[in-house]
Amino acid sequence: MSKQVSHLGLIILFWVVSLIIGYMLYVAIRLIAFDLPYLIENWEAFANVRSEAVLFLIILNFALSAYFLFPLWSFRKFLKNLKESQTFAERNISLLEKFSVGLFVFILARILIEVYWRFFTNMTDTYGNEVPVQYSSYVALFLFALSIRVIIHLLSSGVRLKQENDLTI
Amino acid sequence: MKTSKIALHILYWLSNILIVLMLYSVLRYFIIYFPNSIKYWDILVEELGSMAIIEKISFITLLFLPFIPVIAFRNFMRNLRKELTFTEKNIKLLKKVTIGLIIFDLIHIIWYSIVFPITFTIDGQPAPCLIPFQVTVLFFALLMWGLRHILSNGLSLKQENDLTI
């Protein structure tokens, strides 16, 4: 029989993803509860300092992060199912499909936002230098999205095998 | 449900390209930078003291070590393309990827902690190195660890299936 692989990696991954979701929720609550009232109160002063394009960029970034919570939640659910030994189920494939599509949309939106702020705003770092493009983060996200597609492929092979197995019994 | 294999092909070719790029950077280092680093060795020892030798060894290890996980990952992708999905060999390959990436990250922590203070300064003082590890590498290692679990479950199922037939 095959050697059993430890659950430790799964458990760590599950908690890391849960922590990321928790942190994103904390930031969202902090923004809505503390920063948003301050922003509304001082809107005129703020709009004078920052251009409308930058304000739009902040809102866009916030909306994108909020959207990404949904695919991330699907991934967390998938990891939870794996922890509970429900590996080869159709439900897991659809959960991962949601996560993978969400990731591709996230990457595309990030690229569009980057293009927008590079061409329509005049953003620099604290020393006045141009901010370099973080290619590595895009590459890492793209590779991650592709790896998720590979897991979907593995799961679908497993589901087929399981169905065959169930039919034989 | 049949799924597209396009991601497999892309990842397979990307890992091939990565291996070629890594070979190129190793060659470049030994042809261009290594002779210079021997020439200016005294300056490095002056700046880093006894850590200079650790810095050099860890840097050369960082150049060679990624070959193990990347080649293992490439072979895993090759097996998947050939429909050899749930096999003991794939589980071993993924173990190599996971352990290789984690060791890479550990050595990266050593190297970065030595190099960071002499590379970056704040008001003339060495800057503190806050996150010396590569978060994405660690996350990818975790993902591969999780993938091993799926493969091992699939292998048990396959063996059960073969026994029934």
Side-chain angles (χ1 to χ4, degrees), chain A residues 24-40 62 66 69:
Chain A
M24 282 169 80
L25 280 174
Y26 159 74
V27 171
I29 291 167
R30 220 182 83 151
L31 271 171
I32 293 166
F34 299 105
D35 296 342
L36 203 63
Y38 177 79
L39 191 73
I40 293 166
F62 181 64
L69 270 173

Side-chain angles (χ1 to χ4, degrees), chain A residues 2 7 10 87 93 151 154, chain B residues 1 85 140 147 149 153 156 159:
Chain A
S2 75
H7 270 62
L10 271 183
T87 314
I93 297 178
I151 301 179
L154 283 178
Chain B
M1 193 166 63
T85 313
F140 197 72
L147 204 58
H149 182 78
N153 278 356
S156 321
Q159 282 168 345

Side-chain angles (χ1 to χ4, degrees), chain B residues 43-62:
Chain B
I43 298 170
L44 194 70
V45 172
E46 216 172 89
E47 278 193 35
L48 293 176
S50 55
M51 296 303 252
I53 189 81
I54 300 174
E55 190 273 335
K56 200 52 50 202
I57 293 170
S58 54
F59 185 75
I60 291 171
T61 318
L62 283 180

Side-chain angles (χ1 to χ4, degrees), chain B residues 14-164:
Chain B
L14 278 181
S15 41
N16 277 332
I17 293 169
L18 194 61
I19 291 168
V20 174
L21 280 176
M22 277 155 57
L23 274 173
Y24 166 73
S25 53
V26 167
L27 283 176
R28 212 175 113 106
Y29 175 74
F30 280 102
I31 293 168
I32 302 170
Y33 298 108
F34 193 67
N36 273 342
S37 70
I38 291 171
K39 200 170 151 190
Y40 300 112
W41 178 250
D42 292 343
I43 298 170
L44 194 70
V45 172
E46 216 172 89
E47 278 193 35
L48 293 176
S50 55
M51 296 303 252
I53 189 81
I54 300 174
E55 190 273 335
K56 200 52 50 202
I57 293 170
S58 54
F59 185 75
I60 291 171
T61 318
L62 283 180
L63 271 180
F64 285 102
L65 187 72
F67 280 101
I68 300 170
V70 174
I71 290 175
F73 186 71
R74 176 200 166 271
N75 290 346
F76 171 59
M77 286 298 137
R78 191 194 55 199
N79 289 349
L80 289 193
R81 284 170 86 210
K82 288 180 187 166
E83 302 276 343
L84 300 164
T85 313
F86 300 117
T87 60
E88 284 273 6
K89 210 178 152 206
N90 280 348
I91 297 177
K92 277 181 192 158
L93 284 174
L94 280 189
K95 192 177 183 179
K96 265 189 198 171
V97 176
T98 312
I99 294 173
L101 288 178
I102 290 172
I103 294 174
F104 173 82
D105 228 14
L106 289 176
I107 295 174
H108 190 270
I109 292 173
I110 298 170
W111 176 74
Y112 207 59
S113 315
I114 297 169
V115 167
F116 197 87
I118 60 163
T119 316
F120 299 98
T121 53
I122 297 172
D123 299 331
Q125 297 294 313
C129 183
L130 296 176
I131 307 172
F133 61 90
Q134 303 249 317
V135 183
T136 41
V137 171
L138 213 60
F139 198 76
F140 197 72
L142 274 179
L143 191 73
M144 290 299 118
W145 200 347
L147 204 58
R148 271 181 69 209
H149 182 78
I150 297 176
L151 279 187
S152 131
N153 278 356
L155 185 60
S156 321
L157 204 66
K158 195 175 162 248
Q159 282 168 345
E160 237 175 73
N161 213 8
D162 292 346
L163 279 175
T164 323

Side-chain angles (χ1 to χ4, degrees), chain A residues 65-88:
Chain A
S65 308
Y67 156 78
F68 193 59
L69 270 173
F70 295 100
L72 211 54
W73 188 255
S74 304
F75 189 53
R76 186 190 166 276
K77 268 194 202 161
F78 162 71
L79 291 173
K80 196 170 168 243
N81 287 350
L82 282 194
K83 262 174 68 195
E84 288 164 1
S85 296
Q86 299 163 7
T87 314
F88 300 116

